[in-house]
Amino acid sequence: MKNLIEYYDELYPSDETQRKFFIDLLTTYQAPSKFLRIGCGTGNLESFLAKNGIDVTGLDTNKEILESANLRRRFPNMAIRFFQMSTIEMTNFLGKNFYNVIACLNDKIIYLYDENIMKKFFADCKILLSNEGSLVLQLYNYNMLNNEKVVKLPVRESIRSKIMEQIIQTDNDGFVINQFLENSSEKIIPLLQRQKIFPILPEQIEKFAKDAGFTKFELYEDYTKKPFTSESKTLVCLIS
């Protein structure tokens, strides 16, 4: 993670379409609306939302990246906080029925590699959300795997760096991912090696969400709300 922090905002940018999507969604709730981001990284989106009057909480498991996120807390009267915490712990420490919107973006959900942990994630999000609250997920459309043993994901790149990812279906460990960073010196640095993942499919998302008590599902290709199709490379789920 120390190798990635310098490039994080370039490789995982918060662009205008993403910001508009969340502002439009959050302003449908009574102000100040409350937002929880799981896997917040450096807190770029969170800082923007807090500056616009949203009450923001960010969670991440990595201490170094949270230190970077906390550097954004420079403005007075911003309701924003970051905690080092996993999804397994969040219902023990966060307010139940408190958040209007919970988001897990940039494929972070697939690292909940065990099916039971994945089911608990949906159930816990339902517990933390207010009545009529929304869960937003953003990830690749993993129908692309199509029973292939090895699949390279689209390269994520900026002017200075790129991330390359490869998913492998193993006989014993299920799905694993290898992830590499090419930095500004063109040096290749391994970030993850055979990390277990759960490349969850749209139909599995809907099933787990229904089992957790959610009743409404909207699937888009991106934050512009372009309709999701079987050919879409990415997926944005709005669940309530």
Side-chain angles (χ1 to χ4, degrees):
M1 186 57 66
K2 290 179 181 178
N3 292 306
L4 179 58
I5 288 174
E6 178 183 350
Y7 309 103
Y8 194 93
D9 288 345
E10 303 170 15
L11 293 166
Y12 300 94
S14 176
D15 63 18
E16 290 301 318
T17 59
Q18 184 194 62
R19 292 178 174 189
K20 183 178 186 303
F21 177 93
F22 281 104
I23 287 292
D24 289 349
L25 177 59
L26 285 157
T27 52
T28 63
Y29 298 96
Q30 183 176 349
S33 52
K34 298 171 181 64
F35 176 76
L36 171 64
R37 170 83 177 274
I38 296 167
C40 62
T42 58
N44 192 358
L45 172 63
E46 292 66 45
S47 178
F48 169 80
L49 294 177
K51 290 175 187 176
N52 283 271
I54 309 299
D55 184 293
V56 174
T57 303
L59 306 183
D60 210 290
T61 57
N62 187 273
K63 179 181 178 181
E64 287 83 2
I65 208 164
L66 285 176
E67 290 173 353
S68 180
N70 275 306
L71 291 176
R72 297 182 185 276
R73 300 171 57 190
R74 296 175 298 212
F75 297 92
N77 303 318
M78 281 175 57
I80 186 169
R81 63 209 64 83
F82 296 102
F83 300 118
Q84 186 177 1
M85 191 183 303
S86 71
T87 59
I88 295 174
E89 304 171 283
M90 60 187 186
T91 54
N92 295 331
F93 298 101
L94 302 180
K96 297 175 175 59
N97 306 117
F98 182 76
Y99 298 98
N100 302 119
V101 175
I102 297 176
C104 186
L105 315 176
N106 298 328
D107 275 80
K108 294 294 179 70
I109 191 172
I110 70 170
Y111 295 96
L112 305 176
Y113 61 85
D114 179 85
E115 183 171 334
N116 290 324
I117 295 175
M118 185 71 76
K119 291 177 179 179
K120 175 176 167 53
F121 167 81
F122 284 94
D124 287 352
C125 286
K126 190 72 171 71
I127 290 170
L128 295 175
L129 282 168
S130 62
N131 292 333
E132 310 300 327
S134 299
L135 171 63
V136 180
L137 307 175
Q138 187 266 330
L139 62 157
Y140 287 116
N141 175 14
Y142 285 104
N143 282 309
M144 73 170 83
L145 298 178
N146 198 27
N147 296 318
E148 297 287 337
K149 286 292 185 181
V150 180
V151 172
K152 290 183 178 180
L153 297 183
V155 175
R156 184 183 294 273
E157 59 185 322
S158 68
I159 294 175
R160 299 192 303 154
S161 61
K162 63 178 67 174
I163 284 183
M164 298 157 286
E165 297 172 300
Q166 179 188 63
I167 291 179
I168 302 169
Q169 186 172 1
T170 70
D171 293 330
N172 299 320
D173 295 327
F175 290 97
V176 298
I177 191 168
N178 296 326
Q179 186 182 72
F180 301 89
L181 170 73
E182 181 179 316
N183 66 15
S184 55
S185 301
E186 299 185 352
K187 181 180 179 180
I188 305 297
I189 301 168
L191 300 177
L192 297 172
Q193 292 289 290
R194 296 186 67 84
Q195 170 69 48
K196 290 183 180 181
I197 58 169
F198 189 128
I200 190 168
L201 303 176
E203 56 267 29
Q204 292 174 310
I205 291 173
E206 184 167 344
K207 181 183 185 304
F208 293 161
K210 282 183 176 178
D211 290 345
F214 292 96
T215 57
K216 186 178 179 181
F217 310 90
E218 300 172 55
L219 303 183
Y220 305 110
E221 181 173 305
D222 54 32
Y223 291 114
T224 67
K225 297 189 175 181
K226 182 179 178 180
F228 176 78
T229 71
S230 59
E231 302 300 316
S232 299
K233 292 183 179 180
T234 55
L235 170 64
V236 174
C237 305
L238 178 57
I239 306 168
S240 57

